[in-house]
């Protein structure tokens, strides 16, 4: 048996190995060195990904948990429930004039000029619903007129905007004339 290696011998062997490796890399050239580095990186990535993939396969092999009870959609409302819901949303006939005041207040809030409107009450015997038709001529910026119309529909969910017409004298004019026709659908009509 030989004598044990000293640290000086180990340093010489390491230095010799490093020198030989550098000479071999210089002989191979830069493209081969880059290829070797990529091969080592790929081997390291493959070695790291294999355990990850095995863990993922174990997870995917587990059965999905079964729901304790299936969620079922509630049954659709009956025709009578739908009809009752319809009548709940309707406005009240006795407050029709106050709803017109709401429209006038919204027009003022949107800086619109509101001319005298036309009003017409009606009653549909088949549905037992009163209607109150309001035709309002307004003047103002185009955007303000649309804001007014949308705010009116939000304030009165029982109203519909049946018609809206715009008119402008010249293209350069910023003020638009509009004619809006709202219909209020009201309960407590004729017996």
């Amino acid at each position: 048996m030989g004598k044990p290696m000293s640290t000086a011998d180990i340093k010489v062997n390491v230095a010799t190995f490093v020198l030989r490796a550098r000479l071999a890399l210089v002989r191979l050239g830069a493209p081969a060195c880059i290829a070797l580095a990529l091969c080592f990186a790929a081997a390291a990535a493959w070695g790291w990904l294999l355990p990850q993939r095995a863990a993922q396969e174990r997870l995917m092999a587990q059965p999905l948990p079964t729901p304790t009870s299936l969620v079922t959609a509630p049954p659709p409302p009956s025709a009578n429930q739908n009809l009752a819901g319809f009548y709940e949303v309707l406005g009240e006939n006795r407050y029709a004039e106050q709803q017109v005041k709401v429209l006038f207040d919204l027009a003022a809030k949107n800086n619109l000029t509101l001319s005298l409107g036309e009003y017409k009450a009606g009653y549909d015997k088949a549905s037992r619903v009163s209607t109150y038709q309001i035709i309002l001529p307004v003047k103002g910026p185009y955007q303000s007129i649309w804001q007014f119309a949308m705010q009116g529909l939000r304030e009165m969910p029982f109203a519909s905007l049946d018609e809206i017409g715009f008119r402008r004298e010249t293209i350069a004019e910023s003020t638009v004339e509009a004619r809006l026709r709202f219909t209020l659908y009201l309960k407590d009509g004729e017996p």
Side-chain angles (χ1 to χ4, degrees):
M1 295 208 180
K3 58 181 180 176
M5 292 181 77
S6 69
T7 56
D9 290 336
I10 293 174
K11 286 181 183 177
V12 170
N13 285 342
V14 170
T16 305
F17 174 74
V18 169
L19 181 60
R20 286 184 181 170
R22 284 181 64 193
L23 290 173
L25 290 175
V26 169
R27 279 188 217 127
L28 288 174
C33 292
I34 292 172
L36 277 174
L38 289 176
C39 286
F40 284 126
W46 187 63
W48 180 76
L49 286 175
L50 275 178
Q52 302 295 325
R53 181 174 176 164
Q56 184 181 18
E57 285 177 358
R58 283 192 302 275
L59 183 65
M60 296 300 284
Q62 293 176 354
L64 293 174
T66 57
T68 56
S69 65
L70 294 176
V71 177
T72 57
S78 69
N80 288 336
Q81 289 171 326
N82 278 337
L83 189 59
F86 170 75
Y87 283 115
E88 283 177 20
V89 176
L90 297 177
E92 294 196 31
N93 197 13
R94 61 183 172 192
Y95 299 123
E97 290 80 17
Q98 292 171 344
Q99 300 305 328
V100 173
K101 184 179 180 330
V102 167
L103 288 173
F104 274 84
D105 291 344
L106 287 173
K109 182 179 171 184
N110 285 291
N111 298 320
L112 298 175
T113 305
L114 185 66
S115 302
L116 190 60
E118 299 173 31
Y119 312 99
K120 179 180 165 186
Y123 183 76
D124 183 5
K125 290 181 183 179
S127 64
R128 294 178 294 155
V129 172
S130 294
T131 58
Y132 198 75
Q133 198 172 74
I134 306 164
I135 299 173
L136 298 173
V138 295
K139 286 184 183 179
Y142 179 80
Q143 184 65 30
S144 296
I145 293 171
W146 273 113
Q147 285 177 347
F148 162 69
M150 294 301 118
Q151 287 172 354
L153 293 174
R154 273 193 296 272
E155 289 286 324
M156 299 176 292
F158 48 87
S160 68
L161 178 60
D162 300 328
E163 183 182 342
I164 186 166
F166 295 97
R167 197 180 99 196
R168 185 184 325 206
E169 294 296 325
T170 64
I171 293 175
E173 199 171 320
S174 64
T175 303
V176 178
E177 293 179 28
R179 186 173 180 264
L180 295 93
R181 185 178 67 181
F182 289 96
T183 300
L184 307 179
Y185 295 92
L186 310 164
K187 57 185 166 186
D188 299 328
E190 293 178 5

